[in-house]
Amino acid sequence: MDICGIWKVRELRMPTPEGVKVYSPDALPPEDDELYDDILQQLQLRTEFAADGTVSTLLAVPEEMRAEAARQGVTVREDGYAVVDSTTWKEEDGRFYYDTGITGEVMGEPTDPFMAIDVTEDGCLLYQMGMILLERA
């Protein structure tokens, strides 16, 4: 499987004391819920896996806001997206991994900052510790 390209969020899986809540563009929390705006924004993000090993979180910048974004130092790509976060990804032995940026030690041994990206039976990606289900955009 080739994961290069742009992916969109199909589902957000949020752990809560009552269990995991699943949000999607068709299943949002009520507008008066304190999480509504955050979830709506996360569902609009895109994730791009580039062939050079870069994985970027992208935010669409509307045409009417691009000039202001440029004045504020935000680089908007030709496709209308701005990169809001970037890290690396790799493929090893047929599995995909992304760099979480988490470093440290366990019992004196350094931890590996790369975490697996699982592929579902229908070709979606479980990303960010399984909290985000991505499908091709």
Side-chain angles (χ1 to χ4, degrees):
M1 175 177 178
D2 180 15
I3 68 169
C4 291
I6 296 180
W7 297 72
K8 65 182 180 178
V9 178
R10 179 192 283 183
E11 292 179 352
L12 292 173
R13 299 171 180 190
M14 311 274 296
T16 71
E18 297 83 37
V20 175
K21 289 191 177 184
V22 178
Y23 300 104
S24 71
D26 298 325
L28 294 169
E31 287 187 41
D32 61 348
D33 188 307
E34 64 185 35
L35 294 176
Y36 179 82
D37 289 334
D38 288 341
I39 289 172
L40 188 61
Q41 182 180 30
Q42 288 182 48
L43 289 169
Q44 294 173 7
L45 296 174
R46 299 292 181 259
T47 302
E48 180 179 46
F49 291 88
D52 69 359
T54 303
V55 58
S56 300
T57 302
L58 308 173
L59 178 63
V61 180
E63 182 73 39
E64 64 273 10
M65 297 178 68
R66 292 181 189 165
E68 179 59 28
R71 278 192 291 280
Q72 293 184 22
V74 176
T75 301
V76 179
R77 304 178 342 174
E78 287 183 25
D79 62 3
Y81 287 101
V83 175
V84 295
D85 189 35
S86 188
T87 187
T88 57
W89 72 275
K90 65 182 180 179
E91 181 178 359
E92 274 183 9
D93 300 324
R95 294 206 60 204
F96 303 105
Y97 301 86
Y98 73 99
D99 187 347
T100 63
I102 299 170
T103 59
E105 292 183 358
V106 174
M107 298 177 65
E109 294 294 318
T111 58
D112 183 354
F114 281 86
M115 183 167 288
I117 302 169
D118 293 321
V119 179
T120 64
E121 287 183 17
D122 60 352
C124 292
L125 304 178
L126 280 171
Y127 188 57
Q128 296 289 343
M129 296 183 263
M131 294 180 60
I132 300 175
L133 181 67
L134 298 173
E135 64 184 358
R136 288 205 182 266

